[in-house]
Amino acid sequence: MVNTMRSACKKIAPVWPLENFVAVNPYLGFTGKKFDRVAQELAATGDIHMTMPSSFYLQKIKEGKLKKEDILKVLNQKNSKIGYREFIQSLEQISDSEGSMIQISTVGDLATQVTQKDWNRFITARISQWAASYFDKGQAIWIAADQKESPFKAWKIEAEIDRTPELSGLKDFRKIVKSLPNNPISATQKALDMLGIELENSSFYLHRLLLKQGGWAAHTARLDWDQELYGGKDGQLIELLAVLICWEACLMESLQDQELLKIWEEEKKQWASYQEGLEENQQLAHNLILQEAFDLATQRELIEKFERVKVETKTQKEQAKAQAVFCIDVRSEVFRRNLELVDNSIETLGFAGFFAFPINYVPLGHEIGEAQCPVLLKTGPTILEQIPDSEKNQQAINERVSAHQLSKIWKSFKSGAVTCFSFVSPMGLSYLPKIFTDSFRWTRPVPHPDQVGISTNLLKNKTVNLEAHEHQNETAGIPLEQQIQMAKNALKAMSLSDDFGRFVLIVGHGSSTVNNPHATGYDCGACGGHTGEANARVAATVLNNREVRTGLLQENIFIPINTIFLACLHDTTTDEVSIFNENEVPASRAQELKELKNSLKRAGHAARTERSLRMANQKKTSVEKMIFAKSKDWSETRPEWGLAGCSAFVVANREKTKNLNLEGKSFLHSYDWKKDEGFKVLELIMTAPMVVTSWINLQYFGSTVDNKNFGSGNKTLHNVTAGLGVLEGFSGDLRVGLPIQAIHDGENYQHEPNRLNVFIDAPMEAMNNILERNPSVKNLCDNGWIYLFAMDENGKISNRYAGDLNWESTAQNAA
């Protein structure tokens, strides 16, 4: 039984809490199956859409984006017996027909149908209220659930005394719950017996139950994910599934409705046929053809761009003025392109924003660190933030701790049952000036999270402590040998092991927004939903270390003595770049630094101007004023577009893309396969950044094609719950994915659904070898979750991966 339950649970993708809201592939548990097959399965079990409505694609045909040849290509690939005209006519007949696609029903579904009372909504509300209390991370003042118990036991304790179901018409509900065993597996077996369910025919049913509580199921799946990542065992989602099954059994026992019992028996008889194969939804099948054609249209446009561009061979012999290593994030593409335009003596590179320094970062005044690395990886060494002067360091810690304690007291005063009245009446008037300046976007309603509790003069002296020392009974810092190894790995992976510039900028990124529950979703996903400041600081400190550079000589990596690594942060909301360790630049190079900062400033202005074309400027103010105002406007629902539009990932030298305008829609990873011995770096790219960029792409895809199930709805209705996520309104399931405002501007989609197109400059044989060794990555490519392409030495897209380690010419594909 446990294995059957676990199998259903593995179909639920994890979702991370708001404090580090990273992108997740919502179809994570299905990548071993074909995209089209999964679309049919999810439609039948959860009424989940994996395409846009037909009207979207028909509009693209009218606009000329989607061409006749794109659709014909897909029809031919599927050996369709109908032609283009017949296909379009059939579309117009069934276009956007309403109605549920669900083929699998639960007791809650059938009870709602029979009694005309929305039991589904009631069950969701009861479970969500319990889960919000049980999983609460400090938001609630009073915790009702027993957090010391396991999930199932905690639910059962509460359900045995909760009168709400009985007051709503469920007779003897508490008594029925009490009769269930305390062990979740034993209780599940009894509940299945009460429901008359045979385990071998229950897989679709169990999945359907989890999809109905998809938000809390996804949160619980993340808890299991973390446990397994660090060598532990899963089990929490299995317990939640036990709760859902018990709810079904108790609902049926309480209602004792004969009509319900009859149609439930009929429903179960159909499950055996579902196991053999779900009935294909014809409307969905047509839309899947259109979606694939839409993907082909985007690929055609991208391939044509590469065909037109002229690749410039790098001929520069003298040392570069500067090299800037940015995160591969699509927003960096805009800034990089503009930086190169305003100053062609600066080279830019792309690398995952944690810069190969997976650290556990402990900010000043904190005891516990934050994982500054992709969620696919375990954290590395613990690094403490510090101020070099011990006296000032202690002062900063005291300031931050005092500010935190005062904040807790103030929050308690504002939220107290009695004191809240004192806050609103006498204290309310004192807030008027602040409310006034915040409303006109002159001031920021709250300080930036990184600056809370520390004065500005102390803040500018922050650095990192890499010396080995004790912290919370653990060793913190990075020993010299490990620093050398991490530096070597980072530089090799960046394809930056020679020809170093006079300055090398390590540019992390973050965002500055206010009143935005999903703010960390705009920060660096490679840094676990935090800004890349910490990683940039650590990387620059390690690479500026003379002892590290001496050690790198043994690895045939020579960093010139005049090369200075600068730790920087790119604010993607305002396109400003901050340099944190400019005090390490000698006075003799002050003019060089000034020129560099001027180039960054000019690039920021150019990037803001370009980005403003996508932003509604209803007040017709200047671009600069609009962009900066959005970053501190508490009422702004679209402070920036984030990664909306992401559809490509290019793995190649910058020379291959330098003259391309990829419109802020492409991830860019620097890579030179001729320097990659044994293609180890390529394997790292294809098994980590390629997978992560696919996660981001599919999160945006899912939030666009079905925001109801894989998005978080209307941002203006969000209420943060349990410090973990949001509800849309006052009740309902925990929402996952992106708000509608993150993908739509009110009139048009700012993110259109395209699966990720990956263009790699490397031999096809090397890519095939990597796919063979990594079945999970091969599944992504074979089953249509990622489109993989090979680039030739001239920067043209020469071949497309056709599945099962076969490739086809893009020229042949276009014919």
Side-chain angles (χ1 to χ4, degrees):
M1 177 191 290
V2 174
N3 288 337
T4 304
M5 294 174 75
R6 179 175 285 112
S7 178
C9 291
K10 291 300 180 185
K11 295 178 180 178
I12 302 298
V15 65
W16 270 257
L18 295 175
E19 66 181 8
N20 53 338
F21 187 75
V22 296
V24 177
N25 170 10
Y27 316 105
L28 187 61
F30 292 94
T31 53
K33 296 181 180 181
K34 294 286 185 184
F35 181 91
D36 288 9
R37 167 64 187 169
V38 174
Q40 293 286 354
E41 186 173 323
L42 288 179
T45 52
D47 198 19
I48 290 170
H49 300 261
M50 284 178 61
T51 70
M52 299 294 279
S54 304
S55 56
F56 172 84
Y57 304 105
L58 291 171
Q59 181 60 34
K60 292 300 172 185
I61 293 173
K62 289 179 183 177
E63 293 171 4
K65 158 90 175 178
L66 187 52
K67 298 184 183 296
K68 178 180 178 179
E69 54 264 36
D70 300 319
I71 296 172
L72 279 174
K73 222 177 277 183
V74 180
L75 289 172
N76 290 335
Q77 287 171 0
K78 295 185 180 297
N79 300 315
S80 175
K81 295 178 181 178
I82 63 172
Y84 175 77
R85 186 185 297 274
E86 296 165 285
F87 178 73
I88 296 298
Q89 286 175 347
S90 66
L91 273 180
E92 291 169 345
Q93 290 171 5
I94 62 172
S95 177
D96 301 341
S97 60
E98 297 296 330
S100 172
M101 295 186 285
I102 288 179
Q103 295 178 33
I104 286 87
S105 297
T106 65
V107 173
D109 297 325
L110 299 177
T112 298
Q113 175 188 324
V114 168
T115 65
Q116 296 299 301
K117 187 171 182 178
D118 197 344
W119 290 110
N120 277 329
R121 186 175 180 179
F122 176 78
I123 293 169
T124 296
R126 298 313 305 155
I127 290 176
S128 190
Q129 186 176 38
W130 161 77
S133 179
Y134 180 77
F135 294 114
D136 185 84
K137 291 190 69 177
Q139 179 180 340
I141 296 174
W142 297 289
I143 303 294
D146 190 344
Q147 296 180 327
K148 294 178 182 177
E149 294 287 355
S150 67
F152 181 82
K153 185 70 183 296
W155 167 78
K156 191 169 183 289
I157 290 169
E158 184 171 316
E160 287 175 2
I161 59 173
D162 182 10
R163 293 178 179 270
T164 309
E166 290 173 9
L167 292 172
S168 300
L170 296 182
K171 186 180 178 183
D172 295 329
F173 186 84
R174 289 175 298 153
K175 185 178 177 181
I176 299 167
V177 171
K178 200 165 188 175
S179 70
L180 296 170
N182 289 332
N183 179 279
I185 305 304
S186 302
T188 298
Q189 184 60 66
K190 182 171 181 181
L192 291 173
D193 291 343
M194 291 162 68
L195 293 167
I197 292 175
E198 295 179 8
L199 207 58
E200 59 268 21
N201 292 332
S202 65
S203 62
F204 282 107
Y205 168 71
L206 299 181
H207 185 210
R208 168 82 177 125
L209 284 180
L210 288 167
L211 288 175
K212 289 174 72 175
Q213 294 290 155
W216 287 110
H219 168 70
T220 316
R222 198 273 307 174
L223 298 177
D224 283 342
W225 173 285
D226 283 351
Q227 282 290 322
E228 292 179 286
L229 183 64
Y230 290 95
K233 293 183 179 180
D234 63 356
Q236 297 223 47
L237 185 51
I238 289 174
E239 293 207 24
L240 179 62
L241 178 55
V243 170
L244 303 179
I245 296 169
C246 290
W247 247 107
E248 288 269 289
C250 294
L251 176 67
M252 177 167 279
E253 285 291 309
S254 296
L255 288 175
Q256 286 296 313
D257 187 289
Q258 292 304 310
E259 186 181 353
L260 172 61
L261 292 171
K262 181 182 176 182
I263 61 173
W264 174 241
E265 290 304 317
E266 292 172 358
E267 171 67 23
K268 288 185 293 182
K269 288 175 185 176
Q270 299 178 47
W271 288 1
S273 62
Y274 294 153
Q275 298 299 117
E276 296 171 8
L278 292 163
E279 181 184 343
E280 186 177 84
N281 182 293
Q282 283 302 311
Q283 179 189 346
L284 175 56
H286 280 72
N287 284 351
L288 285 166
I289 290 171
L290 288 168
Q291 176 58 48
E292 190 163 346
F294 186 60
D295 284 322
L296 285 178
T298 301
Q299 291 163 21
R300 173 171 43 78
E301 291 174 358
L302 284 165
I303 291 169
E304 286 171 0
K305 276 191 176 186
F306 280 95
E307 281 292 325
R308 292 193 299 265
V309 74
K310 182 180 179 182
V311 176
E312 295 179 5
T313 306
K314 184 179 176 182
T315 56
Q316 183 177 320
K317 298 293 182 184
E318 61 185 45
Q319 188 178 20
K321 169 183 171 181
Q323 293 157 322
V325 185
F326 286 83
C327 181
I328 60 176
D329 190 289
V330 297
R331 291 166 291 183
S332 299
E333 188 271 335
V334 179
F335 195 96
R336 287 176 63 182
R337 182 163 32 83
N338 282 288
L339 180 58
E340 291 163 345
L341 284 172
V342 301
D343 191 338
N344 60 15
S345 64
I346 297 177
E347 301 172 6
T348 72
L349 299 91
F351 189 73
F354 73 115
F355 307 111
F357 283 85
I359 57 174
N360 177 41
Y361 194 67
V362 185
L364 271 169
H366 290 242
E367 292 184 353
I368 300 171
E370 300 169 331
Q372 294 272 157
C373 62
V375 294
L376 294 169
L377 303 179
K378 294 181 181 179
T379 54
T382 296
I383 305 296
L384 269 64
E385 190 175 69
Q386 69 165 18
I387 294 171
D389 184 298
S390 58
E391 200 171 301
K392 289 184 177 179
N393 188 67
Q394 191 57 51
Q395 181 187 342
I397 291 172
N398 293 341
E399 280 185 10
R400 177 161 272 183
V401 170
S402 298
H404 177 68
Q405 290 173 340
L406 182 62
S407 174
K408 286 183 71 174
I409 294 169
W410 188 242
K411 179 183 176 183
S412 177
F413 172 66
K414 288 195 295 182
S415 308
V418 177
T419 53
C420 63
F421 296 103
S422 305
F423 174 78
V424 172
S425 299
M427 298 295 297
L429 290 174
S430 67
Y431 273 77
L432 282 175
K434 179 67 173 165
I435 291 172
F436 184 81
T437 56
D438 288 348
S439 297
F440 282 92
R441 308 191 292 189
W442 296 337
T443 54
R444 184 184 167 99
V446 292
H448 194 282
D450 293 340
Q451 301 169 5
V452 172
I454 303 180
S455 55
T456 306
N457 63 326
L458 291 175
L459 194 66
K460 64 184 180 182
N461 294 319
K462 277 199 313 181
T463 183
V464 290
N465 182 4
L466 301 187
E467 302 248 340
H469 61 284
E470 287 292 314
H471 175 73
Q472 299 291 311
N473 298 319
E474 292 183 1
T475 301
I478 311 177
L480 179 61
E481 286 304 312
Q482 190 178 359
Q483 288 188 42
I484 294 169
Q485 189 61 40
M486 292 177 85
K488 172 200 163 186
N489 292 343
L491 294 173
K492 290 278 189 184
M494 292 176 192
S495 294
L496 183 63
S497 53
D498 52 23
D499 296 332
F500 292 91
R502 292 176 64 79
F503 289 115
V504 179
L505 285 68
I506 307 295
V507 190
H509 70 89
S511 68
S512 44
T513 65
V514 293
N515 192 28
N516 184 5
H518 292 90
T520 58
Y522 292 97
D523 285 337
C524 184
C527 300
H530 304 105
T531 75
E533 176 186 339
N535 304 78
R537 283 183 183 273
V538 171
T541 303
V542 168
L543 292 164
N544 282 331
N545 186 334
R546 297 296 176 194
E547 291 180 279
V548 169
R549 294 190 181 190
T550 302
L552 287 173
L553 291 174
Q554 297 177 13
E555 306 289 346
N556 294 318
I557 298 175
F558 170 68
I559 302 176
I561 195 167
N562 67 348
T563 295
I564 299 175
F565 287 82
L566 297 175
C568 308
L569 187 73
H570 171 209
D571 186 326
T572 56
T573 312
T574 63
D575 276 315
E576 293 177 298
V577 173
S578 306
I579 302 175
F580 299 116
N581 62 332
E582 60 182 275
N583 60 322
E584 295 178 25
V585 178
S588 60
R589 297 180 61 180
Q591 183 59 33
E592 278 185 70
L593 180 63
K594 183 179 179 182
E595 290 173 6
L596 175 62
K597 291 170 75 173
N598 184 51
S599 295
L600 292 170
K601 185 176 180 180
R602 288 163 58 209
H605 174 73
R608 285 190 292 274
T609 302
E610 180 179 332
R611 287 197 305 113
S612 71
L613 299 176
R614 289 180 72 187
M615 294 179 143
N617 190 5
Q618 295 172 342
K619 298 183 179 179
K620 307 299 179 186
T621 56
S622 72
V623 168
E624 298 285 305
K625 189 174 181 181
M626 175 191 71
I627 295 285
F628 284 99
K630 279 177 175 285
S631 72
K632 55 191 176 186
D633 184 356
W634 62 266
S635 65
E636 180 58 66
T637 55
R638 301 174 180 92
E640 61 159 289
W641 283 118
L643 296 105
C646 62
S647 58
F649 178 33
V650 183
V651 182
N653 277 337
R654 181 56 174 158
E655 286 75 23
K656 302 284 175 69
T657 59
K658 191 170 183 179
N659 295 321
L660 273 175
N661 181 353
L662 292 167
E663 303 174 10
K665 296 180 180 180
S666 179
F667 303 94
L668 296 178
H669 199 300
S670 296
Y671 175 68
D672 185 346
W673 69 267
K674 293 173 184 176
K675 295 180 181 180
D676 186 10
E677 188 179 341
F679 295 102
K680 292 176 183 175
V681 173
L682 179 61
E683 183 156 12
L684 185 65
I685 292 170
M686 290 181 68
T687 54
M690 189 172 91
V691 174
V692 171
T693 52
S694 170
W695 277 28
I696 296 168
N697 168 264
L698 289 170
Q699 183 192 53
Y700 272 84
F701 183 98
S703 296
T704 303
V705 295
D706 193 343
N707 199 267
K708 177 183 175 183
N709 288 292
F710 288 142
S712 56
N714 189 340
K715 197 173 194 174
T716 62
L717 301 178
H718 284 174
N719 282 308
V720 176
T721 185
L724 295 170
V726 296
L727 303 180
E728 190 179 12
F730 72 93
S731 186
D733 191 21
L734 194 71
R735 298 306 304 264
V736 299
L738 302 162
I740 193 70
Q741 286 86 349
I743 54 172
H744 198 282
D745 65 11
E747 295 181 2
N748 301 298
Y749 283 97
Q750 287 295 317
H751 181 85
E752 294 183 341
N754 282 121
R755 283 165 279 180
L756 189 68
N757 301 293
V758 181
F759 304 100
I760 301 180
D761 179 18
M764 287 177 281
E765 184 182 355
M767 289 190 268
N768 276 352
N769 290 337
I770 291 166
L771 292 175
E772 271 194 296
R773 287 195 297 273
N774 297 276
S776 62
V777 179
K778 185 173 181 287
N779 282 339
L780 288 172
C781 301
D782 281 4
N783 294 326
W785 302 97
I786 284 177
Y787 294 108
L788 181 61
F789 296 85
M791 185 186 292
D792 66 21
E793 60 183 11
N794 298 314
K796 313 304 180 191
I797 308 305
S798 59
N799 294 84
R800 167 178 166 153
Y801 182 75
D804 200 23
L805 306 180
N806 296 311
W807 296 76
E808 62 185 16
S809 166
T810 52
Q812 170 194 336
N813 194 40

